[in-house]
Amino acid sequence: MIWFWGVLCALALVALFFPFIFWIDFSADFKGVTVCVRFFKKHVYTYEKKFGKKEQSEEEDCSASVDEEVAKAPEKPMESKESPKVEQKSEPESTREPEKTAEPAKTTEPVKPAEKKEEPQSVEEKEEPELSGKKPSDEKSSEKKLQEKNPAEEKAPVNESAEEEKEEKRSLTDVEFWTLLLTPEFDTRAWWAVRHALSALFKLFRMRFADCFVEGIRFQEYENMGYAAALNGVLKSFPYIGAWDFRMDWTRDHEPHAEGHLRASINVCRVLGLILAILFYGGIVAFTFWRRRAKILKTGELPELGFIRSKIVKMMSEDD
């Protein structure tokens, strides 16, 4: 049994700290940019953007062809618009005559249903008093008794509960809200929480550059190129810039070109740590805000702000 639990713990640790690696291959020059994303060795996404003289010539050709089509298009519909006008004038003469004959037939028919409608109304008026009898009077008397008892008992607690709800539901005004946010103590606590949450976010991925270079760097004087090459040797000691190689074009036969690989790794443990950090620091900020809000609603006293912060509060309240 001990071996079983030991194996489970080992598997859990492997699952938490197992790195999921993403590779981003990129290359850029004056002709275009390409970016390729891979998950381990599996290709996921590619992005290509080409620019130069070829695209400009293609766009000019497309615009010229569109202008030619637009110029030719209005010539054809002009002939089709004139032909249907002659046909529409001849049709109404034949259609108007049967409409006049059909109207008198319709005027004579609606006289009959008017007589039928009067019969059900008279029958209902006669039947209503017979069916009602003494029931409505009994119902009215019972309703009056309930109304006499209920208002004295129910109106008082309803009014008290409504007043209590209004007091509890009162929200902060714009001035109170912005003064609460701009108090120095609350700002320091909020920025402290945001800084720690962002640090956890940046630690989510571990990024490393590999085999990155920039070639085709030229200067007018070779001395400046030598200084740049020496600076490149100094930058090799830095963690992220050390993987970059800035190559001087001494022979002036290489065009500017940049290429490299970016390795980003992530694991489940870092994701859980980010979620816990956001919940922890966000809960601290929310608790401080809620406590100060309750104090302002009870006492109605606002904290004193400086000249600049009070001006900002006025500006924000006026904008709202």
Side-chain angles (χ1 to χ4, degrees):
M1 195 69 182
I2 295 170
W3 290 101
F4 176 74
W5 290 108
V7 170
L8 285 179
C9 291
L11 292 174
L13 291 172
V14 170
L16 287 173
F17 294 99
F18 181 77
F20 298 95
I21 300 170
F22 293 89
W23 285 94
I24 300 171
D25 305 328
F26 59 89
S27 64
D29 54 11
F30 291 119
K31 294 180 181 179
V33 177
T34 58
V35 178
C36 179
V37 181
R38 293 182 289 118
F39 179 68
F40 289 104
K41 292 183 179 181
K42 186 177 181 181
H43 179 73
V44 178
Y45 177 74
T46 55
Y47 174 78
E48 293 182 359
K49 177 67 176 179
K50 294 181 180 180
F51 46 86
K53 295 181 180 179
K54 293 182 180 180
E55 288 189 353
Q56 292 178 358
S57 62
E58 291 177 357
E59 290 177 358
E60 290 176 356
D61 295 333
C62 293
S63 63
S65 62
V66 170
D67 293 332
E68 291 177 357
E69 291 178 356
V70 171
K72 293 178 181 179
E75 294 178 358
K76 295 179 181 179
M78 293 296 288
E79 296 177 357
S80 61
K81 289 181 181 178
E82 294 177 356
S83 58
K85 290 182 181 178
V86 178
E87 294 177 357
Q88 291 177 357
K89 291 180 180 178
S90 61
E91 291 178 357
E93 293 178 357
S94 60
T95 56
R96 288 178 183 174
E97 293 177 357
E99 288 178 356
K100 293 180 180 178
T101 57
E103 287 179 355
K106 291 180 181 179
T107 54
T108 56
E109 292 178 359
V111 175
K112 294 179 181 180
E115 295 176 358
K116 292 179 180 180
K117 289 180 180 178
E118 293 178 354
E119 294 177 0
Q121 289 178 357
S122 62
V123 172
E124 290 176 359
E125 290 176 354
K126 291 178 182 180
E127 290 177 358
E128 284 179 355
E130 293 177 358
L131 294 171
S132 61
K134 295 181 180 180
K135 290 181 181 178
S137 61
D138 296 331
E139 291 177 358
K140 290 179 180 179
S141 62
S142 62
E143 289 177 359
K144 288 179 181 179
K145 291 178 181 180
L146 293 171
Q147 289 177 359
E148 289 175 358
K149 294 179 180 179
N150 292 328
E153 296 176 357
E154 295 180 354
K155 284 182 180 179
V158 169
N159 293 325
E160 291 176 356
S161 62
E163 291 176 355
E164 291 177 356
E165 288 177 357
K166 287 179 181 179
E167 291 178 354
E168 292 178 356
K169 291 180 180 180
R170 188 179 81 81
S171 60
L172 294 172
T173 60
D174 295 333
V175 177
E176 292 175 348
F177 177 75
W178 290 111
T179 50
L180 195 152
L181 287 180
L182 293 172
T183 50
E185 295 178 357
F186 182 78
D187 289 342
T188 53
R189 183 64 62 83
W191 285 116
W192 171 78
V194 170
R195 187 172 65 252
H196 284 80
L198 289 174
S199 65
L201 178 62
F202 290 134
K203 291 177 181 178
L204 181 63
F205 286 94
R206 284 188 179 177
M207 296 183 180
R208 296 286 184 275
F209 290 101
D211 299 331
C212 298
F213 65 89
V214 179
E215 64 180 4
I217 299 172
R218 301 174 186 174
F219 294 103
Q220 292 180 357
E221 296 180 359
Y222 285 100
E223 292 180 358
N224 295 328
M225 294 172 70
Y227 295 144
L231 181 62
N232 184 21
V234 174
L235 295 174
K236 292 288 185 182
S237 60
F238 292 92
Y240 290 100
I241 305 173
W244 286 85
D245 187 13
F246 298 96
R247 300 173 183 175
M248 302 295 121
D249 188 10
W250 299 100
T251 57
R252 297 183 184 276
D253 56 354
H254 295 285
E255 294 181 355
H257 179 72
E259 188 175 348
H261 310 279
L262 178 64
R263 181 180 180 274
S265 63
I266 188 173
N267 55 23
V268 179
C269 185
R270 291 193 206 119
V271 174
L272 294 174
L274 177 63
I275 293 168
L276 292 173
I278 291 169
L279 292 174
F280 178 71
Y281 294 111
I284 290 170
V285 174
F287 177 73
T288 54
F289 180 83
W290 175 76
R291 188 177 62 184
R292 291 174 183 276
R293 177 181 176 277
K295 185 178 179 181
I296 290 169
L297 291 174
K298 286 181 180 179
T299 60
E301 295 179 357
L302 295 174
E304 293 181 359
L305 301 176
F307 178 76
I308 296 171
R309 291 176 182 268
S310 61
K311 289 289 185 183
I312 294 169
V313 169
K314 289 180 181 179
M315 290 172 63
M316 299 303 291
S317 61
E318 287 175 359
D319 293 335
D320 295 334

